[in-house]
Amino acid sequence: MTKYEDLPSFDLYVDQLIQIVQEELKPFFLLSNSQKLTTSMVNNYVKSNVMDKPIKKKYNKEQLSTLILITSLKSVFSIDEIDQFIKQIINNEDFQNSYNKFCISLETSIKNLFLNNEYKVLQEKNSIDIIVNAVVSKLYIQLKLELLKGDFINEEFR
């Protein structure tokens, strides 16, 4: 994945923005049930304030990286959860640094799950362990977001 400082530093029109995101996240669009990123989706993210509005119909590097985050997370999290994640976790740190950490972590996770040390595709993983890890990871993030919002959580889980 392209790190923040290596993303285009010039402003992009929405079709260019979508093309870059789809190229960056090509593995996310390989599945038959995956939804292609569209102009309408981008407009909806802007309308719902998940990403900033374009300036004179052009998007900057931070908006591009935000769209990459949204697109990579939306298969697991709701748009509201992604919005909370970006606003409460990413924005509490330096955005560029947080984005780069996300890219490195995503690359590492993909390599660890799909490839062995020689970068050959692994034949079999324990699907139950992977499913359980996904569920527990999602639960952890949902609880963390609830705590950051200050919402009530059952006292026995604190």
Side-chain angles (χ1 to χ4, degrees):
M1 292 199 52
T2 305
K3 305 306 176 280
Y4 187 88
E5 57 275 5
D6 297 326
L7 291 171
S9 56
F10 51 87
D11 292 341
L12 304 162
Y13 288 107
V14 72
D15 57 330
Q16 296 168 309
L17 184 79
I18 289 170
Q19 183 179 4
I20 291 170
V21 171
Q22 289 186 165
E23 186 61 36
E24 281 293 307
L25 299 173
K26 196 180 285 185
F28 288 81
F29 297 106
L30 293 176
L31 299 173
S32 60
N33 65 345
S34 64
Q35 193 176 22
K36 294 286 185 202
L37 185 60
T38 65
T39 302
S40 297
M41 293 166 113
V42 174
N43 290 335
N44 287 335
Y45 301 148
V46 170
K47 285 179 187 173
S48 61
N49 294 317
V50 180
M51 63 184 283
D52 293 335
K53 294 178 182 177
I55 298 170
K56 296 181 181 176
K57 297 186 180 186
K58 289 189 175 182
Y59 295 85
N60 62 29
K61 186 187 288 196
E62 188 165 321
Q63 291 160 314
L64 171 60
S65 54
T66 299
L67 187 58
I68 291 170
L69 287 171
I70 292 167
T71 305
S72 61
L73 294 170
K74 73 178 186 169
S75 66
V76 177
F77 296 103
S78 71
I79 295 302
D80 287 341
E81 290 169 331
I82 294 168
D83 185 41
Q84 289 176 49
F85 171 73
I86 291 170
K87 288 180 176 145
Q88 295 183 5
I89 296 173
I90 296 288
N91 287 339
N92 286 339
E93 298 182 34
D94 172 63
F95 183 84
Q96 179 178 344
N97 188 38
S98 295
Y99 175 79
N100 286 340
K101 282 182 189 176
F102 178 85
C103 290
I104 291 166
S105 184
L106 184 61
E107 284 177 351
T108 302
S109 294
I110 288 171
K111 286 177 185 174
N112 288 341
L113 186 60
F114 290 102
L115 304 172
N116 64 19
N117 290 338
E118 292 85 39
Y119 295 97
K120 295 178 184 169
V121 176
L122 292 173
Q123 296 300 314
E124 184 63 34
K125 290 273 187 172
N126 184 336
S127 296
I128 292 174
D129 288 345
I130 294 169
I131 290 168
V132 168
N133 190 22
V135 169
V136 171
S137 295
K138 182 170 182 179
L139 177 63
Y140 173 82
I141 291 299
Q142 288 173 321
L143 287 172
K144 182 171 180 130
L145 289 172
E146 292 296 314
L147 288 171
L148 288 170
K149 282 189 339 188
D151 286 354
F152 174 79
I153 295 179
N154 191 327
E155 282 300 317
E156 68 183 82
F157 292 108
R158 286 188 187 258

